[in-house]
């Protein structure tokens, strides 16, 4: 349930994501918003900025697919800024929201970021929680299917010690994505509440993969 003060932004986001179905659809925005609101209650921070950033953080994903440009690059931020102006968000708040969107996809294992704002930390945790657990499993295979990836390639490398770059061409299979990114998210959480929530979701993925390999290898 999205609070009244976020309704205009939520409607704009829904319009933008109407054709998106591979894991970054409106329901993802809504779940990240719900996670973010819970984290904000526990951790503090500017509730409005956090809620709006959670709703808009991925609206340029379909545009990224069409143009090949980054969904949090300068042009994307301009598009998101225009959406927020139309939704009558205050100019100062728009700046704060865009500063979160710009860095929400930077992971500690690829680039250490100093001085993150509490609002950025919460939106990152909220987004990463939706990439783990049962939803992480569902979204990974939906994304893999939409981008022509195999479920799993026997013999492929599953120990990813190098920096992960978020390009579908760098991926080999949906199962590999757990090792290159999703299983690392628990350690990458910013807030104490985020870390706590990530535990159960992380364990679910570990159990899922154990069962997956047991069935794949015909162990009875
Ligand atoms: Fe996201």
């Amino acid at each position: 349930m999205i609070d009244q003060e976020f309704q205009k932004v939520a409607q704009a986001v829904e319009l933008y994501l109407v054709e998106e179905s591979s894991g970054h659809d409106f329901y993802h925005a809504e779940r990240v918003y719900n996670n973010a609101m819970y984290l904000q209650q526990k951790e503090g921070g500017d509730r409005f900025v956090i809620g709006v950033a959670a709703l808009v953080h991925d609206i340029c994903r379909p545009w990224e697919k069409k143009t090949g440009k980054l969904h949090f690059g300068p042009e994307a931020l301009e598009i998101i800024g225009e959406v927020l102006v139309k939704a009558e968000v205050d100019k100062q708040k728009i700046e704060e929201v865009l500063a979160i969107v710009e860095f929400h996809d930077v992971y500690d294992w690829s680039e250490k970021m100093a001085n993150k704002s509490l609002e950025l930390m919460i939106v990152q945790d909220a987004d990463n929680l939706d990439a783990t657990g049962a939803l992480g499993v569902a979204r990974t295979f939906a994304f893999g299917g939409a981008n022509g990836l195999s479920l799993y390639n026997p013999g492929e490398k599953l120990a990813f010690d190098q920096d992960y770059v978020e390009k579908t061409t760098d991926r080999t299979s949906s199962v590999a994505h757990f090792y290159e990114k999703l299983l690392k998210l628990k350690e990458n959480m910013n807030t104490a509440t985020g870390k706590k929530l990530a535990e159960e979701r992380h364990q679910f993925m570990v159990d899922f993969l154990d069962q997956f390999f047991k069935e794949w290898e015909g162990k009875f």
Side-chain angles (χ1 to χ4, degrees):
M1 189 52 190
I2 292 173
D3 287 356
Q4 192 55 41
E5 62 176 321
F6 297 105
Q7 281 299 336
K8 272 195 183 157
V9 174
Q11 279 164 14
V13 170
E14 209 165 356
L15 269 181
Y16 251 85
L17 297 176
V18 99
E19 286 168 18
E20 178 64 26
S21 63
S22 67
H24 295 107
D25 55 9
F26 179 69
Y27 296 113
H28 168 64
E30 200 176 34
R31 290 192 304 267
V32 174
Y33 163 86
N34 284 330
N35 292 344
M37 291 292 94
Y38 180 80
L39 291 167
Q40 190 277 332
Q41 270 176 22
K42 301 279 178 191
E43 302 280 340
D46 186 321
R47 188 173 175 279
F48 184 73
V49 169
I50 290 168
V52 172
L55 285 168
V56 298
H57 78 282
D58 271 340
I59 62 171
C60 282
R61 289 264 188 185
W63 173 86
E64 178 182 70
K65 222 172 178 177
K66 268 187 237 154
T67 63
K69 294 175 185 172
L70 264 187
H71 70 279
F72 50 89
E75 283 177 70
L77 295 181
E78 218 168 284
I79 294 171
I80 298 168
E82 283 164 20
V83 169
L84 293 176
V85 168
K86 275 193 205 139
E88 294 169 12
V89 176
D90 179 81
K91 212 173 162 225
Q92 176 59 35
K93 297 283 179 194
I94 293 178
E95 294 304 317
E96 290 174 47
V97 167
L98 295 182
I100 294 174
V101 175
E102 187 178 359
F103 296 108
H104 82 275
D105 232 19
V106 175
Y107 292 95
D108 282 352
W109 60 76
S110 58
E111 192 182 328
K112 285 268 177 247
M113 249 186 93
N115 306 321
K116 283 186 196 176
S117 69
L118 178 56
E119 288 78 10
L120 171 61
M121 292 199 285
I122 286 179
V123 174
Q124 276 188 330
D125 281 4
D127 195 23
N128 286 335
L129 282 171
D130 202 52
T132 58
L135 280 160
V137 172
R139 291 179 65 216
T140 297
F141 290 102
F143 186 91
N147 289 284
L149 303 184
S150 325
L151 292 181
Y152 167 57
N153 299 321
E156 71 182 312
K157 183 180 173 233
L158 291 177
F160 289 88
D161 33 27
Q162 291 189 337
D163 290 345
Y164 164 63
V165 181
E166 193 154 3
K167 277 190 201 149
T168 52
T169 47
D170 295 333
R171 296 191 196 171
T172 47
S173 76
S174 292
V175 162
H177 188 55
F178 287 90
Y179 296 88
E180 65 191 6
K181 182 177 179 185
L182 306 185
L183 293 170
K184 296 180 187 174
L185 290 174
K186 180 172 74 95
E187 297 307 319
N188 197 59
M189 288 287 159
N190 297 302
T191 66
T193 312
K195 279 192 177 84
K196 210 171 137 201
L197 293 175
E199 290 288 340
E200 185 193 12
R201 295 179 188 216
H202 180 86
Q203 193 55 47
F204 183 92
M205 294 192 294
V206 170
D207 293 344
F208 169 80
L209 289 164
D210 282 350
Q211 182 73 15
F212 182 93
F213 287 120
K214 194 178 151 199
E215 293 177 17
W216 186 282
E217 286 154 16
K219 290 183 182 157
F220 299 98

